[in-house]
Each structure stands twice: as C-alpha cells, then as structure tokens.
Amino acid sequence: MAEIQLRNVNKRWGSFIGVDNFNLTIADKEFLVLLGPSGCGKTTTMRMIAGLEDVTDGEIVIDGKVVNNLDPKDRDVAMVFQSYALYPNMNVYENIRFPLKVRGVDPATHDERVRRASAMVELDDFLHRKPAELSGGQRQRVALARAIVREPNVFLMDEPLSNLDAKLRVSTRAQIKNLSHELAVTTIYVTHDQIEAMTLADRVVVMEKGVVQQVGSPTEIYDRPANLFVASFIGNPAMNLIDGDLCDGVFETRNTRITGLNTGHGKTTLGFRAEDASLARDGEGQISAPIYTLELLGDATMISVRIGTSLVAVKADKSFRAEIGDLVSIHVTPEICHLFSTETGQRIDD
C-alpha cells in the first residue's frame, strides 16, 4: 500500500510562495496528475514528495510514515524526468540495471528484472545500444524502464513527454496509460498539457500560483470547472467566456442575449464550450456577429466571432463554408451555460 498524504504543505523562498497550504490524500494505486502552467508549483510539489526539496511547513506522509526528514533514497519512490537523465557511457541494459546495482539488490535477480522491465516498454531489441543511438521516444522508454525495474511504491513523473514530438507523445502516452494499469502503482504525474491530464488521470489537481484551484476526475473538471481559471485552462479550445450582465434570468451583452438562466445577478461571466453550441438560422440564435476567423479541422470547421474583447468559438459541420465577415447566428441554450462571478472568478452554482 502507498497512500500519500500532503498535510498543510507549504514551500517558501523568502517572501515568495511556491506552494501554498496544499492538502490532499492520494489513494493507493491512484494515478494523480498535477496540472497547471509553468511556475504554478506542480513540479515543486512533486520534488517535495520525492525529497528533492525541503518542506517549509506541513507534513508529507507515505504509507503512514511522515517522510519530511527522510532522504530521497529512503522514500521508495522512483522518478522519471523530462530530461531522461541517462548515462551516455552505458548501454540500455546497463542503464536499466543501474538502480539495482546501487541499491544492493541480489545480482542473481538482475537479468530477469531488467528484461521484464524492458519488455514492458518494448525495448528488447535495443538493449545493446547506447543512448546516443536512440530516438527521443526510445530514450524516454529507457527512463521509464529504469523506474519500473526498481519496483517502487510510488512513481513520480515530471513532464516525461515534453521533449517528444506530437506523434511520439500520443504513442508514449498510450504506453504510460497501459503501464499504469499493468503495474498498479501509485503514480503522480506533472504536466502543463491538459490533454495528457484528461487522458491519463484518475484525478486531476489544477494549480495556479502555488494554490490548488480544483481537484476532481477529468470529467468533473471538464464539466463543472470551479472557477474562471479552470474553465479557461481546460479544453481545446478553451471554454468560451463572455462578460455581461445577468438580471432576472437574462444574460445580456453586445450581440448576445441568453434567456432562461436560473441563478445569479449583476456582473457575470458566462461560459460555454464550442462543441455544445451550434449554428442557427439567421436571427434565431442567442449570439449574432460577423465571422472573425474560420479553421478547417478535418472533422469539423471551427468558427470564431468577436464579442467585446472575447473570441467565441463554435464547431460547425466540416462541410460548412463561409467567408470572414459573414454574419452568423449561434444557438446557445441555457443548459450548456456555465456562470461565474466576474468579480471573484468563482462558479455560481445552479
């Protein structure tokens, strides 16, 4: 069992707050993703769990034991970095084997464990090669195998796909997803890529400026963002957000009038996702504006209009044809709308 608890964890450097009062219990065998932009505190949080950064305040508990004062080597965690960190003078076999040697594991078991780990990441044909002879994706798989061979209680992965091209990211992401299912080990994964978070995680922790913004399953985070930051960060494209006034169930701003909303009043930010809206016949939609841009996506056409300072996107059929400047009408039903306080940024619950 490797349940991890972070209890009121803080990290400060002088007056700068890197992580602010982080509280979370990570269940045994859970795949948790720390998600947020650069500088939000996600990597610092992982490094504190690993023991590579000291905790300023609070406690980190692994498997029922407070580990604040334990060295990294004594925490039974294995870390995979974005930089691979392979030994260039060793071949793949020896790179994978290295953790077993330094930890004094019985040499009689090394070959079986190395080959089992290499098979999991499909490296059997490359064990004799040096890192310089491998592609980026193959080097990242060596780093994964080197973590697997240790059979740790916890995997920590710090943006392991960030150095790979788009095609390799997809295939390696699938491999990590399959490995997490096969190994059933508690995993904490750091990324700024919300697609990685949505596809890999059991739960996602969204962070900004050292503060946890929302914790939930990918579906919960996507369907009910807790605030404007989460709404704007999750989704491709991000949620459409329009500032306006809400009174007696009617939201109004330039080119926009949506009725039938059940809650809230005053200055309100209304959100909806591009795939939930649709094009309407002229004059029958809740938003009417000239086309700002069109993007052909293959399976759909993304249309954007400008409402005040906001770009608002809607997905149309791939066969849709129009020109920039043409007037379009967008159908936005109350059921697809999310409401946020413009002042506080917090979600206004239905």
Side-chain angles (χ1 to χ4, degrees):
M1 176 178 172
E3 180 185 89
I4 301 171
Q5 293 179 308
L6 290 90
R7 301 172 179 168
N8 306 109
V9 170
N10 293 277
K11 179 62 181 180
R12 295 187 297 273
W13 292 273
S15 61
F16 178 77
I17 299 173
V19 176
D20 188 10
N21 198 34
F22 195 117
N23 281 281
L24 188 69
T25 296
I26 304 162
D28 181 40
K29 300 178 183 178
E30 182 175 15
F31 196 116
L32 184 93
V33 172
L34 301 177
L35 173 68
S38 297
C40 72
K42 57 189 185 296
T43 294
T44 300
T45 301
M46 173 178 282
R47 289 174 63 84
M48 287 190 290
I49 295 169
L52 301 175
E53 291 280 359
D54 292 331
V55 175
T56 305
D57 301 301
E59 291 181 332
I60 295 176
V61 180
I62 300 177
D63 206 7
K65 180 192 298 183
V66 177
V67 298
N68 290 39
N69 297 320
L70 287 183
D71 291 336
K73 64 182 178 62
D74 298 322
R75 297 193 185 194
D76 199 15
V77 302
M79 196 158 180
V80 179
F81 299 92
Q82 67 185 76
S83 61
Y84 317 136
L86 304 179
Y87 297 101
N89 59 319
M90 297 181 186
N91 63 21
V92 170
Y93 183 97
E94 289 301 328
N95 264 284
I96 298 172
R97 181 186 175 207
F98 188 76
L100 302 178
K101 293 170 68 175
V102 298
R103 294 176 73 84
V105 175
D106 181 2
T109 67
H110 287 196
D111 188 67
E112 179 189 353
R113 288 174 65 167
V114 168
R115 293 186 183 279
R116 185 167 67 240
S118 73
M120 284 183 178
V121 293
E122 300 174 15
L123 282 173
D124 290 351
D125 295 335
F126 302 94
L127 292 175
H128 63 286
R129 293 194 186 181
K130 297 285 182 66
E133 302 173 82
L134 303 176
S135 69
Q138 290 164 344
R139 276 179 265 179
Q140 191 56 275
R141 280 151 51 197
V142 176
L144 285 169
R146 190 176 55 189
I148 292 166
V149 80
R150 283 188 51 188
E151 299 175 4
N153 267 337
V154 179
F155 281 123
L156 304 176
M157 300 188 183
D158 186 12
E159 305 215 35
L161 308 184
S162 62
N163 290 339
L164 305 183
D165 63 39
K167 186 176 179 181
L168 272 177
R169 281 189 186 195
V170 173
S171 60
T172 309
R173 188 172 71 221
Q175 203 156 37
I176 290 173
K177 180 80 171 177
N178 183 265
L179 276 173
S180 71
H181 174 77
E182 189 173 342
L183 295 170
V185 173
T186 307
T187 302
I188 302 172
Y189 185 105
V190 162
T191 184
H192 64 273
D193 186 325
Q194 47 103 10
I195 294 176
E196 288 178 25
M198 299 294 284
T199 54
L200 290 172
D202 295 321
R203 278 193 304 163
V204 179
V205 177
V206 184
M207 298 182 68
E208 187 202 19
K209 297 179 180 177
V211 177
V212 173
Q213 302 294 314
Q214 187 171 359
V215 181
S217 70
T219 301
E220 290 167 346
I221 299 255
Y222 190 83
D223 288 346
R224 289 185 63 82
N227 55 42
L228 286 172
F229 175 78
V230 178
S232 64
F233 196 76
I234 300 294
N236 186 24
M239 182 179 287
N240 296 311
L241 297 169
I242 308 170
D243 291 338
D245 292 288
L246 183 61
C247 182
D248 295 330
V250 180
F251 176 87
E252 287 190 279
T253 190
R254 183 180 179 183
N255 302 99
T256 303
R257 188 175 193 272
I258 301 170
T259 61
L261 302 166
N262 296 325
T263 186
H265 65 276
K267 296 295 183 184
T268 301
T269 301
L270 181 140
F272 63 90
R273 296 206 177 274
E275 65 269 24
D276 292 335
S278 59
L279 291 183
R281 282 189 276 190
D282 289 347
E284 295 185 5
Q286 287 73 29
I287 298 175
S288 295
I291 294 174
Y292 183 79
T293 186
L294 295 100
E295 298 174 276
L296 303 178
L297 305 179
D299 64 333
T301 301
M302 189 72 73
I303 301 160
S304 296
V305 301
R306 186 176 283 284
I307 305 297
T309 59
S310 301
L311 278 181
V312 172
V314 59
K315 276 189 176 179
D317 189 84
K318 64 181 180 181
S319 63
F320 177 82
R321 294 294 180 267
E323 300 292 333
I324 290 175
D326 289 353
L327 192 68
V328 291
S329 191
I330 301 172
H331 192 44
V332 182
T333 62
E335 293 77 23
I336 71 169
C337 293
H338 306 254
L339 299 176
F340 305 90
S341 165
T342 304
E343 182 181 355
T344 67
Q346 296 302 304
R347 184 182 188 88
I348 301 170
D349 285 325
D350 304 331

